[in-house]
Amino acid sequence: MKVRVTVGVLIAALAVYFVLLAGRAVALLRTGEVVGVLLGVGVLILPLLGVWLVYSNLRFGWETEKMARELDADGLLPDVSALPRRPSGRVDRDAADSWFEERRAEVEASPDDWRTWFRLAYAYDVAGDRGRARETMRKAIELHAASR
C-alpha cells in the first residue's frame, strides 16, 4: 500500500509540475517572436513526453501485476526462496544463472506462452539484468494481451 501512496504523491507532484511547465510554454508561444515560439514548442513537448512516460510505466506495472496475480492463482508464480543467498540478501550468482537456464529452456519449449516469458523476465531480474528483464516482460505482456 505504501508504494501506491508514494506513486500517487509523485504523480500529483508531476501533474503540478506539468501544468506549471505548460503555462510557461503557452506564455512563450504568445510572445509571437520566433525564438519565443520555438522555445514554447520545446517546453510544451516536455510535459507531453512526461505524461507519456508516466503512463507507459504505470501501464507496465499494472499489466505485470495482473499477470503475477494470474500466475499466483494458478500456482505458477516463480519462487526463488529456496535459492542460496549472499550476505547482502541477493541470490547467489551461480544459483541465479542455473535457475535462469531452466527458465530459458521453458521459453524455448513453449515460445508462445506468456507464462514462460514472465518467468524468464523474473529470472533476468533475479540475475540482476533489469534491462533484459523489462524487455522480456514486455514480450510477456504482448503475448498475454494476444491470448485474451
Side-chain angles (χ1 to χ4, degrees):
M1 190 62 168
K2 286 182 179 182
V3 171
R4 290 180 191 255
V5 170
T6 302
V7 168
V9 169
L10 289 173
I11 288 173
L14 277 171
V16 169
Y17 174 72
F18 293 156
V19 166
L20 292 172
L21 200 56
R24 293 294 169 195
V26 170
L28 285 166
L29 290 170
R30 287 186 179 162
T31 63
E33 298 176 16
V34 175
V35 173
V37 171
L38 291 175
L39 283 172
V41 169
V43 170
L44 192 56
I45 289 172
L46 292 175
L48 296 175
L49 181 62
V51 167
W52 178 80
L53 286 170
V54 168
Y55 172 75
S56 64
N57 279 295
L58 285 175
R59 185 178 165 276
F60 179 86
W62 292 327
E63 293 298 322
T64 301
E65 188 176 338
K66 184 184 346 177
M67 292 186 310
R69 282 194 304 266
E70 284 185 40
L71 284 177
D72 190 33
D74 294 341
L76 298 172
L77 195 62
D79 181 19
V80 294
S81 60
L83 296 178
R85 307 231 173 220
R86 295 186 217 162
S88 66
R90 292 193 58 103
V91 174
D92 178 68
R93 182 68 181 183
D94 292 336
D97 289 345
S98 173
W99 197 74
F100 171 82
E101 290 303 325
E102 293 172 16
R103 304 297 73 82
R104 188 166 58 183
E106 288 177 0
V107 168
E108 289 172 358
S110 186
D112 295 328
D113 186 0
W114 67 267
R115 291 165 189 83
T116 60
W117 284 94
F118 183 100
R119 294 166 60 87
L120 180 62
Y122 192 75
Y124 272 122
D125 187 59
V126 167
D129 192 344
R130 297 274 155 57
R132 286 194 180 138
R134 286 185 71 85
E135 181 181 323
T136 305
M137 190 60 77
R138 283 187 194 99
K139 175 71 175 177
I141 291 169
E142 177 185 313
L143 290 170
H144 183 256
S147 71
R148 291 190 227 162

